Amino acid sequence: AAPRGFAGAEALELPGWRHVYSGKVRDLYEPADAAPGESETLLVVASDRISAYDHVLSPPIPDKGAVLTQLTLWWFERLSEGYNGAAGAPVEHHVVSTDVPEAVAGRAMVVKRLRMFPVECIARGYLTGSGLAEYRESGTVTGLPLPTGLVDGSRLDPAIFTPSAKAEVGEHDENITFEQMSERVGAEAAERLRYLTLDLYSRAEAIARDAGIILADTKVEFGVDPATGQVVLGDEVLTPDSSRFWDAEDYEPGRAQASFDKQFVRDWLTSDASGWDRASGAEPPELPADVVEKTRARYVEAYERLTGRPFEA
Ligand code: ATP
Ligand code: MG
């Protein structure tokens, strides 16, 4: 069967692996010697593709795949410290090894194949983006009522859990209420995912704060390990693609915040300079070289500030 997913993706010839799926950013492979769909592991390769507003942009951002992978691995280690298999946090993650084909070294990891829950688990400790848009319309975020008078960048304490439904390829992920999530995954799993997401957010928020970065919000995905029945943390975590990182020094509610994520690209796309009309349905224009370079610099800076290590391409 042809691989599903994003059509323009590069499917590399990787010795020992068969390409099975490409999302907007990542390419998935399974061991060539396993029956299709039945392997215990997968190879997750992060490409340099960047997406915004549901479009994959051109050209790619050099080193982005390596930054995402290295940052994810760093966080998994931090977040699973002390994991002992017991219920409750910390949570187990899906990485099995970083022993990957030479062609994708540094930007790939071998993971346990999980049965992914069809929801994106989002924690927000600050109000902005699609949360702010819903709040302005109805005073709620994914149906949760919030106090009046909040502005762009207001802190939400405690942080809130705002799930979204994972859309089919090419469709827009859709915010859903906790009740709708419970219908999709079952009430017990919904409770557990909410608990794990908010716990992960609060631990990561504290780590980021020590590095001078505000973790405004983040999206994680979980799955079930078919071998053990355990809920395991999958996908990528706490990267500039899945999170909003703000500079703590510049933070000031009531306006857009200086950020280390792809907000920079979104801002350029929606500015007059790009000439692109988001509502037109047209493909976005090519990113100019300086936008590519500044975006790369922001991804690298996020990595270096958080981990305290220089990024080595
Ligand atoms: P989008 O372009 O909207 O992000 P996507 O999430 O499908 O689509 P990617 O994030 O590029 O695309 O690809 C990663 C895919 O791999 C996701 O569908 C994710 O749910 C899935 N995934 C991540 N970890 C695992 C795992 N351990 N087992 C099985 N699938 C996984
Ligand atoms: Mg994804």
Side-chain angles (χ1 to χ4, degrees), residues 29-40:
Y29 299 75
E30 61 188 1
D33 57 7
E38 285 176 19
S39 63
E40 283 175 17

Side-chain angles (χ1 to χ4, degrees), residues 20 22 24 62-64 73 86 91 110 123-124 126 145 184 200 202 204 232 248 258 262 300:
V20 284
S22 287
K24 283 195 282 291
D63 295 324
K64 177 173 175 281
L73 291 168
V91 64
V110 180
R124 298 174 196 263
Y126 293 78
R184 266 177 104 102
L200 177 145
S202 74
V232 175
K262 60 175 152 172
V300 168

Side-chain angles (χ1 to χ4, degrees), residues 26 120 166 219 221 235:
R26 273 165 295 243
E120 310 215 307
K166 252 188 101 68
K219 186 265 310 180
E221 292 181 30
D235 213 47

Side-chain angles (χ1 to χ4, degrees), residues 30 52 54 61 65 92 99 103 111 139 175 185 193 196 244:
E30 61 188 1
D54 293 324
I61 308 297
E92 185 186 354
D99 185 7
V111 304
N175 286 350
V185 303
L193 299 187
L196 289 172
R244 284 192 173 86

Side-chain angles (χ1 to χ4, degrees), residues 25-26 47 49-51 64 68 219 236 238-245 260-262 266 299:
V25 172
R26 273 165 295 243
S47 74
R49 296 190 293 274
I50 186 166
S51 73
K64 177 173 175 281
L68 293 190
K219 186 265 310 180
E236 65 166 13
L238 297 154
T239 68
D241 273 12
S242 64
S243 317
R244 284 192 173 86
F245 296 128
F260 296 102
D261 52 56
K262 60 175 152 172
R266 293 193 194 105
Y299 275 76

